[in-house]
Amino acid sequence: MIGRVFNGRYRITERIGIGGMAEVYKAQDQTLGRIVAVKVMLPQYAADPEFAARFKQEAASAANLQSPYIVNVYDWGHDDGTYFIVMEYVRGTDLKSAILQRGAINQRKVAEIGSQVCQALSVAHNQDIIHRDVKPQNIMVQPDGNVKVMDFGIARAKNSVKSQTSSVLGTAHYISPEQAQGKELTGASDMYSLGCVLYEAATGQLPFDGPDAVSVAMKQVQEEPLPPSQVKPDISPDLEAIILKAMDKNPYNRFQTARDMKQALDDFLMGRPVNIAGAAGGFASAPTSVMGSVPGMASEAGGTAVMQPIGSDTGMKTNSYRGGNDIDMGKAKSKKRGPLIAVAAIAAIALIAALAFAITGGLGGGDKVPNVIGQTQEAAVQTIEKAGYTVGTVTEDYDAETVAGRVCKQDPEADSDLEKGGKINIVISKGVKKGSIPDLSGMTSEQAEKALKDAGLKAQYAGNEASDADKDTVSRQDPAAGKEVDEGTTVKYWISTGPEDTSVPNVVGSDQASAKAQLESAGFTVQVETGDYSDKYGEGIVMSQNPNGGKLEKGGTVTITVSQGQDPEKNKVTVPSVTGMSQSEAINTLLSCNLAYALDTASAGSGTPGTVAKQSVTAGKKVDSGTVVTIYVVPESSNSTGDNSNNSGNTPNTGSTTN
């Protein structure tokens, strides 16, 4: 896979992880010049239509989630039978690795991580997307300490056509009881999983463990977790209460929204009183349970199954997270007293509810403002008017926690007293405020920090690197310039140390084309010069280079000198003048000059017998060694015997003096 280019754009450079159905690779976006992460479906699943549909759904769902605490999805596609998703490349380490390396994490840091994860989940839940696989492996801790939630790999929108599948997905150590039994899920399931994550981060120990996934899942359904303070005694009672509320077996007793859980964690961090009971749901808000036919389960009126606490015969549970005289972490000390306490509690609650009805709504008392937070403007108007109120002003504002187009604020607040016919003002979210990332190229570190601050973004120096950029200026940034991002997004930048010195390869003896390609691939500029004739190097072969070896900065010039081959004049000889010489003298002269000869006595014409009357090649001309020069010799008398006796005609001779 290394070196492969997906869709002609994303070049794979290294593998950085593998999951249950996909591998994750680091890659270079050759169009935008940035580093990205590419998730590639494993081959055994690529041909499975169901897995392929889930993989594509992940990309579609995650691409719509915009938050500083969610890993961005840039692109997805299909290339040569393989599905892939292109995501933001996050530098840092996953929370699971941090826990394994360090053990229990500082509890304030645990609360900060939990608050940021809640904000990410709130964005998803507002779009009816449940993560379904919240675990420390999917929470990346960046160098600046902030986190990003990734891998909505098994997330599904509530209105998805596949939302009714009975497949149980997720990791056993972190799945909610209802997820373990394949029940329909709400955002409260993610709250339970996050509670397990915070439990492990705060104590360094999993809340439930076992020899296999099935045994762990059974414990999620049937067993209560050991209180964190019994694992790590110095843990804050408030943080313990938040974690245990999130991990309540009954989804109605947990935090009902990520916003509620975030509020509790923020109160803990700010040193404010943590109001667990008022955060969401609570005992009084849970529908009455009746015994179901499934052991360990109680059937709700709305069709959602709720787990029965262990040791309870009623399906109801007292919400207490700190020890008391009679109840320890929500468990009755006496099994016999449990049902009696539960029955008494139900009776008390019923009486309180009846009194409340009689005092307020039943007797025409003060009216309560409906909660329209998170609704579309149209739905909010209908809700307000249906409750007997009118809509006042409708304004817009940026809100990082509420998806654009939905109500993020209302005045008066929900559950406030307001006479019928009163006005309720609403604010519609414009989503997270976005800005364009400035181009930091050529800026100094100080200039880059100021430019990002002025743009409402956070700057993070990521280190030095050798590059073609001028020394001490920005060589690279991530995300790239011009991208629209949320206000407050962290932009990393690198400072150039100048071009990197690279070894110059030796290309002497290579042909010109190969030598040029080799040097250019090493990052050098090539200058070609024509050299002299050479017996050693053929025509077009590099006979020398400058510099030859050593180090040179990338982009530097290497000069190569190319041979012209052998000197064409080197083997040339000058034809001597043999006219007027005797035949033997002419022959010896030609042979001494490395020339061949031929005799012609028939065409010599008149002259002194036995002498050369003329020659075929003009004297003084340069010819190749071994060239035949015909000499025309005036014949002797008929009774004469001479050298022409065997060479009448034009037979060439290359050196035999007998001729």
Side-chain angles (χ1 to χ4, degrees), residues 21 41 45-59 76 78 83 85 162:
M21 58 186 287
M41 181 184 287
Y45 299 122
D48 186 326
E50 183 177 354
F51 275 96
R54 186 182 302 159
F55 198 78
K56 289 187 287 185
Q57 188 178 48
E58 170 189 352
W76 76 279
H78 182 263
Y83 291 95
I85 297 174
K162 299 174 70 65

Side-chain angles (χ1 to χ4, degrees), residues 97 183 201 205 215 275 277 329 337 374 430 480 501 507 511 517 524 559-560 567 613:
S97 297
K183 302 298 181 180
Q205 176 178 305
S215 62
N275 183 10
M329 302 306 294
R337 294 177 58 191
K430 294 164 65 176
D501 287 346
V507 295
D511 64 84
F524 301 113
T559 301
I560 59 174
D567 184 353

Side-chain angles (χ1 to χ4, degrees), residues 516-541:
K516 190 170 185 292
Q518 185 177 354
L519 289 168
E520 287 178 343
S521 67
F524 301 113
T525 301
V526 181
Q527 180 175 329
V528 181
E529 292 185 353
T530 301
D532 295 329
Y533 295 108
S534 171
D535 291 334
K536 182 177 180 181
Y537 299 101
E539 185 178 359
I541 302 300

Side-chain angles (χ1 to χ4, degrees), residues 104-105 107 110 197-205 228 232 235 239 243:
I105 297 174
Q107 56 185 322
V110 171
V197 170
L198 299 186
Y199 185 109
E200 183 182 8
T203 65
Q205 176 178 305
K232 198 170 184 295
I235 195 169
L239 181 59
I243 292 172

Side-chain angles (χ1 to χ4, degrees), residues 119-468:
Q119 189 161 337
L121 292 175
S122 180
V123 171
H125 292 174
N126 283 340
Q127 295 192 39
D128 289 339
I129 295 175
I130 303 168
H131 190 290
R132 298 173 182 256
D133 197 20
V134 177
K135 57 186 179 183
Q137 293 92 327
N138 283 337
I139 300 172
M140 292 296 296
V141 183
Q142 302 175 94
D144 62 1
N146 289 321
V147 304
K148 279 185 177 284
V149 181
M150 63 179 185
D151 196 3
F152 282 74
I154 56 176
R156 286 198 300 269
K158 288 180 182 177
N159 59 358
S160 168
V161 295
K162 299 174 70 65
S163 63
Q164 299 302 319
T165 180
S166 61
S167 299
V168 179
L169 300 170
T171 305
H173 289 108
Y174 309 98
I175 61 174
S176 65
E178 59 269 31
Q179 188 175 7
Q181 298 198 25
K183 302 298 181 180
E184 186 177 353
L185 304 183
T186 65
S189 178
D190 284 345
M191 299 300 96
Y192 183 95
S193 298
L194 180 56
C196 293
V197 170
L198 299 186
Y199 185 109
E200 183 182 8
T203 65
Q205 176 178 305
L206 288 163
F208 301 107
D209 203 359
D212 52 56
V214 174
S215 62
V216 175
M218 289 298 293
K219 289 180 180 180
Q220 299 281 21
V221 175
Q222 297 176 350
E223 296 184 12
E224 295 290 341
L226 188 68
S229 59
Q230 293 187 26
V231 180
K232 198 170 184 295
D234 62 345
I235 195 169
S236 164
D238 284 336
L239 181 59
E240 179 179 67
I242 293 172
I243 292 172
L244 291 175
K245 181 175 181 66
M247 292 182 64
D248 198 296
K249 301 297 182 188
N250 189 332
Y252 288 99
N253 292 339
R254 298 176 206 145
F255 296 97
Q256 292 300 287
T257 67
R259 186 192 294 264
D260 293 336
M261 188 170 176
K262 182 181 187 300
Q263 182 63 56
L265 289 165
D266 289 346
D267 288 343
F268 167 72
L269 288 168
M270 297 298 294
R272 298 189 292 257
V274 178
N275 183 10
I276 297 296
F283 173 77
S285 68
T288 303
S289 299
V290 295
M291 295 301 293
S293 60
V294 180
M297 297 290 296
S299 177
E300 299 294 345
T304 301
V306 181
M307 318 301 155
Q308 284 192 12
I310 303 302
S312 169
D313 296 326
T314 65
M316 301 301 292
K317 179 180 178 183
T318 303
N319 275 337
S320 175
Y321 297 99
R322 303 176 191 172
N325 293 331
D326 297 316
I327 301 176
D328 180 15
M329 302 306 294
K331 293 183 179 180
K333 288 185 177 181
S334 169
K335 290 185 178 180
K336 292 182 180 180
R337 294 177 58 191
L340 295 178
I341 293 174
V343 172
I346 293 171
I349 290 169
L351 178 59
I352 292 171
L355 289 173
F357 175 77
I359 293 172
T360 58
L363 296 179
D367 297 305
K368 299 294 184 183
V369 172
N371 184 3
V372 295
I373 298 296
Q375 296 184 13
T376 63
Q377 180 177 340
E378 182 181 0
V381 170
Q382 292 178 354
T383 300
I384 291 170
E385 292 177 347
K386 187 175 181 180
Y389 301 103
T390 59
V391 178
T393 61
V394 179
T395 57
E396 292 184 330
D397 195 8
Y398 292 103
D399 190 287
E401 296 184 11
T402 307
V403 68
R406 303 205 175 216
V407 178
C408 60
K409 297 175 186 175
Q410 65 178 80
D411 181 34
E413 294 182 350
D415 296 328
S416 300
D417 291 328
L418 182 66
E419 294 293 331
K420 295 291 186 182
K423 290 185 178 181
I424 299 176
N425 303 317
I426 59 175
V427 179
I428 306 300
S429 172
K430 294 164 65 176
V432 180
K433 188 174 182 180
K434 293 184 178 295
S436 178
I437 297 179
D439 187 355
L440 308 180
S441 300
M443 293 185 182
T444 64
S445 178
E446 293 76 13
Q447 291 170 335
E449 296 269 352
K450 183 178 185 304
L452 292 172
K453 182 178 179 181
D454 292 346
L457 304 169
K458 293 180 182 178
Q460 181 182 339
Y461 164 69
N464 293 339
E465 65 178 9
S467 78
D468 294 334

